[in-house]
Amino acid sequence: MELQTLTYIVVGLTFALYIGIAIWARAGSTKEFYVAGGGVNPVANGMATAADWMSAASFISMAGLISFMGYDGAVYLLGWTGGYVLLALCLAPYLRKFGKFTVPDFIGDRYYSQTARTVAVVCAILISFTYVAGQMRGVGVVFSRFLEVDITTGVIIGMAVVFFYAVLGGMKGITYTQVAQYCVLIFAYMVPAFFISIMMTGHILPQTGFGATLTSEPDVYLLQKLDQISVDLGFAPYTEGVRSKLDVIAITCALMVGTAGLPHVIVRFFTVPKVRDARISAGWALLFISFLYTTAPAVASFARVNMVDTINGSDGKGTEYAQAPQWIKNWEKTGLITHDDKNGDGRMFYSNDERNEMKVDRDIIVLANPEIAKLPNWVIALVAAGGIAAALSTAAGLLLVISTSISHDLLKRNLMPNISDKSELRYARGAAAVAIMVAGYLGINPPGFVAEVVAFAFGLAAASFFPAIIMGIFYKRMNKEGAIAGMLAGMVFTVGYIIYFKGIFITPLAANVPENWLLGISPEGIGSVGMLINFLVAFVVSKMTAVVPKEVQDIVESIRFPKGAGEAHDH
C-alpha cells in the first residue's frame, strides 16, 4: 500500500481512538477535570505520566540532538532522566500529601499569599506556553512530511484533536488518552530501532547494538565508526564533547531541577487515590520512560551512520543528486532538508566545512530513520503516529495546566471565589480553548527547534518553581516575601538572558556565541543560574522580613511525613 494512504489510515485510527476515549471519559465535575477524580490506578497513571513526560522533544528531537551533537547531546538524556528521579523521590509524595490540585495552589497556600499565587500562575502559564510551542512544532513537522501538508495546516489539525479531548475530558479524558498514546509512541519508537539494530549490528536489542561491531565491518565498533566519520567530515569526535564542562553541568542541572518544577508532570501525582500510590506510579513511570531513553543513543548513532552513508556515498565522495535516495526528495518538500550545489558537480555532500552542501534539520532524524534504513512503509507510518502521539500527549497536559491556572488559581482562588463548580468548569474549558489557539500560533512561529524550545521551558521552571517548592517543603522558615522575590528574580533573569541571546521577539542584542555567554553558560543552561539567584534572593529577603506564622510552620512539618490518603481538594 502507498505510504501516504497507509499513514492516513494509521494516524486516523489513532485519532479515532483518542477521541473515543475522550467521549467515554468526559469530565462531569471540576475534580474530574483537574485530577481525573483522584481514582486512577497507579500503573495506568505511571503510563500516562510517561506519555505526558515523553514529549515531542523526547520522541522526535532528543535522538536528533544526540545524532548531530554526539557526546554533548547526551546532556539532554541525563538531565531529563535524572530530573524525573529527583521529582519522584523528593517532591511528588510531599506535594501529594499537601493535597492541592496545582503548583500555584501549593505556593499560594504554603506562602499564605494571593500575590504568591498570582506570581506562580504567571510562571506556570509562561513555562507551559514555552513548552507547548515545541509540541505543536513537532506536530507540524510530522504532518508536513507524512500527510504532505504544510506545517501550518499540520498544526491546525493537531490543535483540533487536542481541543476535542482536552476541553471535553479534562484530566480524566487526558489520562486515559495518554495511556493509549504511550502504547502507540513506545511501539512506534522501538519497532524501527529493533529492525535497524539487527540490520547494522546483528543485535535485536538496540541497547546492546549500540556497543557492538558492525555487520558490514566486523572489526569496527559502531562508536569507532562514528568517531572516524565525524573527524573525516570536520566535526569533533562523536564520543568527545566540545561544550565547556561548566555549560554541560549547567544544562544538565537546569533540565533536572526544571523537571522537578514542571507543573504538568507534578499534577499527575494528584490523580491517584493515596500518597503511597503516588510513589508507586512514579516508579512505574520511570520504568516506562526508561524503554525510550535507553534506546535513544542507539537510534541516534544508527541514524548518523546511515544518513552520512546515503548522502556521501559508500566511497565518501558524494552521491549524484539526480540519484538521491527517495527519503531526501520526500523531506526536501517540507523544507527541512535543502541542497546547495556549491561546486556545480551535481553531487551532494555533507560535512562541517566548506565542502558542505546539505542542510538537515535535527528534528527529522527519528522520523526519517526508517526511510533512510529502507524499512517497510507500515513502520514509517507507525513512526508518524508515534511522533504525533508524543507531541499531543504532552500538549494536552500543558494546556490543562494553563486552563486550571486561570480558572482555579486565578479566578476561583483569587478574583472570583464565589463562582459555582459548574461555572468554574466552564471557565476552565474556555481557558483551554484560548490556550490552544495561542499554542497553535507558537507552533507555527516557533522560537527554535523542538528540543531547544523545550530546554528553555525547563530552564524557566528551574529558575522559578523548583526553589519555591523545595523550600516550601523542607525549609519552614521561608516566608511569602522571600518566595515571591525569589521567583520574580529567577524568572526575570532567565527570561531576559534567553531573549537577549536567542533574539526571541526582538533582534539579538549580542551574538549567540560562547564567548559572550555569562561564564560560558548557554541559554539552554542559564536556568541553573536563575535557580541560584532565586535561592539567594529568597533567603536574603526572608531574613529581612516577618517570620512565617506558626500554623504554616506546622503544616510544613506535617507534609514532610507523607502518610495517609491526602485527598486532593480545592479549599
Side-chain angles (χ1 to χ4, degrees):
M1 188 180 293
E2 190 177 288
L3 175 59
Q4 188 177 5
T5 304
L6 194 58
T7 304
Y8 271 112
I9 292 171
V10 173
V11 172
L13 287 173
T14 60
F15 280 3
L17 176 63
Y18 305 154
I19 292 170
I21 291 172
I23 294 171
W24 168 74
R26 179 185 174 91
S29 67
T30 52
K31 188 172 181 181
E32 288 186 340
F33 192 89
Y34 295 147
V35 292
V40 180
N41 180 277
V43 178
N45 193 58
M47 201 173 288
T49 304
D52 208 351
W53 170 236
M54 292 191 295
S55 64
S58 293
F59 188 98
I60 296 174
S61 206
M62 183 171 65
L65 283 169
I66 298 172
S67 182
F68 279 80
M69 298 169 65
Y71 178 87
D72 285 337
V75 297
Y76 290 90
L77 188 150
L78 294 173
W80 285 333
T81 307
Y84 188 81
V85 176
L86 180 66
L87 171 63
L89 296 180
C90 297
L91 297 184
Y94 304 101
L95 290 172
R96 183 66 183 81
K97 175 68 183 296
F98 197 82
K100 294 296 177 180
F101 283 143
T102 64
V103 173
D105 219 1
F106 167 79
I107 289 175
D109 283 14
R110 162 60 182 87
Y111 295 110
Y112 51 96
S113 168
Q114 293 291 29
T115 302
R117 188 190 309 278
T118 302
V119 171
V121 168
V122 173
C123 291
I125 291 173
L126 184 58
I127 292 164
S128 298
F129 271 130
T130 305
Y131 202 156
V132 84
Q135 310 315 307
M136 300 313 291
R137 152 79 176 179
V139 172
V141 168
V142 176
F143 275 122
S144 65
R145 162 63 190 95
F146 295 106
L147 301 187
E148 297 187 7
V149 298
D150 58 58
I151 287 181
T152 300
T153 304
V155 169
I156 291 171
I157 296 171
M159 286 166 57
V161 176
V162 173
F163 176 88
F164 191 87
Y165 70 77
V167 173
L168 183 68
M171 181 56 83
K172 186 177 180 183
I174 287 171
T175 295
Y176 293 107
T177 301
Q178 285 174 337
V179 171
Q181 286 168 330
Y182 174 79
C183 297
V184 172
L185 77 86
I186 202 66
F187 190 64
Y189 201 87
M190 298 303 295
V191 167
F194 290 145
F195 274 126
I196 298 171
S197 182
I198 293 170
M199 291 167 61
M200 292 187 66
T201 68
H203 287 244
I204 188 170
L205 292 178
Q207 290 88 343
T208 58
F210 182 58
T213 56
L214 297 167
T215 53
S216 58
E217 301 176 68
D219 296 328
V220 178
Y221 284 91
L222 172 66
L223 293 178
Q224 286 180 322
K225 175 83 171 180
L226 280 166
D227 275 342
Q228 187 60 54
I229 287 174
S230 298
V231 172
D232 290 347
L233 297 180
F235 296 92
Y238 192 79
T239 56
E240 297 178 15
V242 296
R243 287 182 181 270
S244 69
K245 288 291 186 289
L246 181 60
D247 192 28
V248 168
I249 292 170
I251 294 174
T252 304
C253 179
L255 295 175
M256 283 184 65
V257 298
T259 299
L262 283 177
H264 76 291
V265 177
I266 289 172
V267 76
R268 292 236 57 94
F269 295 101
F270 293 96
T271 63
V272 291
K274 297 178 292 187
V275 174
R276 180 172 178 271
D277 293 333
R279 287 187 180 274
I280 293 171
S281 65
W284 278 108
L286 195 58
L287 175 65
F288 292 135
I289 289 167
S290 69
F291 296 147
L292 188 146
Y293 271 60
T294 58
T295 305
V299 170
S301 302
F302 298 153
R304 182 75 170 177
V305 172
N306 282 335
M307 184 189 77
V308 171
D309 282 350
T310 55
I311 292 176
N312 291 358
S314 56
D315 58 1
K317 296 180 180 179
T319 300
E320 290 282 348
Y321 181 69
Q323 277 80 51
Q326 189 58 43
W327 71 269
I328 291 179
K329 301 290 186 182
N330 293 338
W331 282 99
E332 273 189 319
K333 296 174 186 176
T334 69
L336 298 173
I337 286 182
T338 56
H339 172 240
D340 178 16
D341 190 4
K342 294 179 181 178
N343 57 15
D345 66 353
R347 289 176 173 267
M348 303 179 297
F349 197 81
Y350 176 75
S351 68
N352 193 38
D353 50 35
E354 67 278 355
R355 296 174 295 167
N356 184 53
E357 298 178 338
M358 300 294 295
K359 182 179 178 183
V360 183
D361 192 289
R362 300 177 182 186
D363 286 339
I364 75 165
I365 284 299
V366 170
L367 300 174
N369 203 18
E371 292 181 273
I372 299 173
K374 300 179 181 177
L375 296 183
N377 282 348
W378 69 267
V379 178
I380 300 170
L382 183 64
V383 169
I388 294 169
L392 294 185
S393 61
T394 303
L398 291 164
L399 292 167
L400 189 71
V401 165
I402 296 168
S403 70
T404 53
S405 294
I406 293 170
S407 63
H408 181 71
D409 298 310
L410 193 60
L411 298 181
K412 176 70 173 179
R413 299 303 308 276
N414 201 337
L415 303 178
M416 302 167 64
N418 297 320
I419 60 172
S420 66
D421 187 81
K422 197 171 185 178
S423 295
E424 185 183 351
L425 184 58
R426 187 168 62 249
Y427 280 119
R429 286 184 165 134
V434 173
I436 288 170
M437 302 301 173
V438 177
Y441 174 80
L442 293 173
I444 295 167
N445 302 283
F449 59 86
V450 174
E452 182 181 59
V453 176
V454 169
F456 295 154
F458 279 74
L460 296 176
S464 57
F465 279 149
F466 179 75
I469 294 171
I470 207 78
M471 289 187 293
I473 295 170
F474 297 106
Y475 184 47
K476 65 183 181 182
R477 291 184 176 84
M478 179 51 58
N479 62 12
K480 62 181 180 181
E481 292 85 0
I484 293 168
M487 283 192 293
L488 288 174
M491 182 62 87
V492 169
F493 170 79
T494 305
V495 169
Y497 192 93
I498 291 172
I499 290 175
Y500 185 79
F501 283 105
K502 302 305 292 186
I504 301 169
F505 306 124
I506 63 170
T507 302
L509 300 180
N512 185 26
V513 293
E515 290 76 17
N516 292 334
W517 295 340
L518 175 66
L519 302 176
I521 298 175
S522 63
E524 290 84 357
I526 201 62
S528 296
V529 179
M531 174 193 67
L532 296 176
I533 290 172
N534 187 331
F535 273 120
L536 180 62
V537 169
F539 183 76
V540 170
V541 171
S542 70
K543 291 297 182 183
M544 299 169 61
T545 49
V547 298
V548 178
K550 178 67 167 56
E551 61 271 18
V552 176
Q553 294 191 44
D554 291 341
I555 292 173
V556 175
E557 286 283 358
S558 70
I559 65 173
R560 291 180 190 174
F561 305 96
K563 300 174 183 177
E567 183 179 355
H569 52 82
D570 59 0
H571 58 273

